[in-house]
Amino acid sequence: MATLPLKKISLFIVACAIAIALLVWGITPTPVPVDLIAVKRAPMDVTIDGEGHTRVRDVYAVSAPISGRLRRVKIRVGDAVRANRTVLATIEPASPQFLDARALARAQAAAKAAEAAQALARAELERVRAKLTFAKTNLRRARDLFAKHVISERQFDQAKLDVTIQGAAEDSARAALNVRTFELKTARAALIAPTDDPEGQTTCCVEVRAPVDGKVLRLLRQSEGFVERASPLFEIGDPTRMEVVVDLLSSDAVKVRKGASVLLDGWGGQHPLEGVVRRVEPYGFTKVSALGIEEQRVNVIIDFTGPKKTWAPLGHGFRVEAHIREWRGEDVLQIPIGALFRDGKDWAVFVDVNGTAKLTKVNIGHTNGRAAEILGGLADGVQVVSYPSDRITNGTDIVAR
């Protein structure tokens, strides 16, 4: 009977010990799993990034030299052309315009008036010729009479003068007839109806030739039709002379220097391309962003420096992403930008000290969007927490994933 209470007491003690152990286990904090990364020394680049496009350095716009009817263009985009030898297009005289009823009536009346004027001029010429014939007959008679001393010398001179005057009158009448004849042709030309028959043209044609060696970049007009003088037809350039244009914010453009090295990626190739800044244009322009914000932009011109075969697949207007080097350090103490966070006005990180997160303030220098230069507060090789969550505070137990 005395052993029964002892067993119950033993079971009670064991149950209490288990409960206490579970309670201690439940209130003991579990280490937070984190990603750790070491502070290291390595080369570091600070770049100004922007999106740009390729373009042929010298693009020649070919326009119509005269107004007329453009024949259908047979050349295509990408075709090679030779300066002053390749015929790009042919322009022939345009057909006359249609005449409405009023204009047609006026043109017909003008033609009839010109016909009448021509007939009048022809009659005047015949009248003058008759008078000239009479004057010549009278001169022969006067010459015979003067030789027989029947008329005076003055009368003989008068007969010669009459012949001269009538000869000049005949020339004048003939010229007047020519004028009326050409006026009639002009009036009849206004009655010529439009036609699509090129054989009906008396003049043909003007050939538009390539101004330089290169390739056709754009075909602005292909179908046959009327074109005005100076209408753009083609754009021609040499794709072996390529450059890159990147428009940067003016606040970034002032940091770019001529001769700065550039890496170009995002163009579709396996490896980035190399380039160098040739010019920062001195003129800015306003551009509206996708968010509807007006921004002042500046064009930066970049030349390729690598072998031509590396960027040969690029054409006019291809998209690229440019990374213009602003600063470079060869041996820089740095950490990924994701390890940094703000602690008041200071930058800070969580350092792994024997499984415990320790809040450590740091001084940073250059940043490039991927890493930050450490000027003070950390040593090489120290492990820091990458992208710390809100579960981590100073003194939190942590464990590496």
Side-chain angles (χ1 to χ4, degrees), residues 98-370:
F98 283 104
L99 299 178
D100 56 28
R102 177 181 298 176
L104 179 61
R106 287 179 177 176
Q108 290 174 342
K112 291 180 180 180
E115 290 177 359
Q118 184 189 40
L120 180 62
R122 186 177 289 110
E124 176 65 17
L125 177 61
E126 293 300 325
R127 186 184 70 83
V128 172
R129 283 176 176 174
K131 294 184 70 174
L132 176 61
T133 301
F134 175 77
K136 289 179 178 180
T137 302
N138 191 42
L139 176 60
R140 288 195 300 269
R141 186 182 298 113
R143 183 178 290 109
D144 293 338
L145 293 175
F146 178 71
K148 297 177 181 180
H149 304 287
V150 175
I151 62 174
S152 64
E153 185 178 355
R154 181 180 181 281
Q155 290 175 325
F156 179 62
D157 291 340
Q158 182 64 46
K160 291 190 293 183
L161 178 61
D162 290 342
V163 172
T164 303
I165 291 174
Q166 294 305 321
E170 182 189 27
D171 293 339
S172 177
R174 187 182 296 108
L177 177 60
N178 292 334
V179 170
R180 299 308 178 187
T181 301
F182 291 129
E183 288 178 349
L184 176 60
K185 291 182 178 180
T186 301
R188 286 176 176 172
L191 295 173
I192 297 176
T195 177
D196 290 330
D197 183 12
E199 296 181 356
Q201 301 289 351
T202 58
T203 57
C204 182
C205 299
V206 174
E207 294 180 340
V208 182
R209 297 179 180 268
V212 294
D213 294 342
K215 290 186 177 181
V216 178
L217 302 178
R218 294 181 64 193
L219 184 59
L220 305 177
R221 180 70 180 266
Q222 182 176 4
S223 299
E224 179 176 337
F226 181 81
V227 292
E228 293 284 354
R229 182 176 180 272
S231 299
L233 303 177
F234 309 91
E235 287 186 359
I236 295 176
D238 185 359
T240 62
R241 302 182 71 247
M242 196 81 68
E243 63 186 9
V244 176
V245 183
V246 181
D247 62 316
L248 299 177
L249 290 172
S250 58
S251 57
D252 289 334
V254 297
K255 304 174 186 177
V256 178
R257 295 292 178 264
K258 179 179 179 180
S261 60
V262 184
L263 281 182
L264 303 167
D265 56 17
W267 60 282
Q270 297 181 354
H271 304 288
L273 304 174
E274 297 179 355
V276 63
V277 174
R278 186 175 87 244
R279 180 186 300 114
V280 179
E281 293 187 351
Y283 181 81
F285 57 92
T286 301
K287 183 177 180 180
V288 180
S289 69
L291 299 177
I293 301 174
E294 290 188 351
E295 300 173 339
Q296 288 303 116
R297 294 271 175 171
V298 177
N299 282 335
V300 177
I301 312 301
I302 300 169
D303 287 333
F304 293 103
T305 56
K308 186 177 296 184
K309 63 180 181 180
T310 60
W311 52 268
L314 289 172
H316 183 74
F318 284 34
R319 175 186 174 274
V320 297
E321 294 179 3
H323 309 284
I324 305 172
R325 181 179 293 168
E326 179 186 0
W327 176 86
R328 177 177 177 83
E330 297 296 338
D331 187 23
V332 179
L333 187 65
Q334 55 187 281
I335 60 171
I337 202 74
L340 293 167
F341 61 89
R342 280 289 189 180
D343 182 34
K345 295 183 179 181
D346 300 320
W347 289 103
V349 296
F350 284 117
V351 176
D352 178 22
V353 180
N354 298 323
T356 301
K358 179 182 179 182
L359 180 67
T360 304
K361 295 183 178 181
V362 297
N363 296 325
I364 66 172
H366 296 93
T367 61
N368 60 9
R370 300 178 297 275

